[in-house]
Amino acid sequence: EDQVTQSPEALRLQEGESSSLNCSYTVSGLRGLFWYRQDPGKGPEFLFTLYSAGEEKEKERLKATLTKKESFLHITAPKPEDSATYLCAVQLRGGSQGNLIFGKGTKLSVKP
Amino acid sequence: DTAVSQTPKYLVTQMGNDKSIKCEQNLGHDTMYWYKQDSKKFLKIMFSYNNKELIINETVPNRFSPKSPDKAHLNLHINSLELGDSAVYFCASSRRGEARAQYFGPGTRLTVL
């Protein structure tokens, strides 16, 4: 069964304390892996798409990487405004109409 | 200049009622989706739709039906609402093609009493 697992479920950091979020996946064939940010009471906001192992994408303090089994979202020197739930999702090869399979998310809290 | 919008934002209703949630996108996308986010914040696909094909997740009860009057709109109709339907419903859209990013609306929180 195709599966996406994110860890940890929750992460508390001090401002400036860098860390990484993990997304491991077991799928029949990967078309793309997506990272989203979700703030309370809002819809997921698109961050990155990764297509193949070895690929990296960066945006401000965030950097996403991809291997054949997992993806990492590295957060460098986080600020309180980075606090949110980060969602990982995969799109399968042969998957219907681009449907995404989401993990359960990592809730990140950054304290000043 | 909202990209994906949904109405209403909150919907409170009684069991057994029929309700609709509207979704509109102004991104020029040709594929739209409905997702359900349960109380544990787990986001799960319900439908995907373009002008040619509707794909229904097999776990979705047939009380739920998407209706698309045109490419920019995909509304969600729910008949005979049940307590377990309480959740946040998100509409999303994307361009057709491989691994295209999906852009989400703000969500509709449905509460069934």
Side-chain angles (χ1 to χ4, degrees), chain A residues 15-59:
Chain A
E15 184 172 3
E17 179 186 2
S18 301
S19 189
S20 295
L21 282 54
N22 178 265
C23 171
S24 63
Y25 58 92
T26 307
V27 298
S28 48
L30 182 71
R31 179 180 281 180
L33 184 140
F34 300 80
W35 282 99
Y36 285 85
R37 168 191 172 127
Q38 187 173 23
D39 292 296
K42 296 193 175 181
E45 176 190 344
F46 170 71
L47 294 174
F48 304 110
T49 308
L50 300 167
Y51 298 96
S52 57
E55 190 174 1
E56 298 182 353
K57 294 269 180 79
E58 281 189 73
K59 180 180 179 180

Side-chain angles (χ1 to χ4, degrees), chain A residues 82-103:
Chain A
D82 295 322
S83 297
T85 296
Y86 290 85
L87 299 169
C88 169
V90 299
Q91 188 183 100
L92 307 180
R93 289 196 182 280
S96 300
Q97 295 248 51
N99 294 352
L100 297 180
I101 300 172
F102 278 87

Side-chain angles (χ1 to χ4, degrees), chain B residues 78-91:
Chain B
I78 316 170
N79 294 325
S80 303
L81 278 155
E82 301 178 357
L83 293 176
D85 298 332
S86 295
V88 182
Y89 293 84
F90 288 99
C91 177

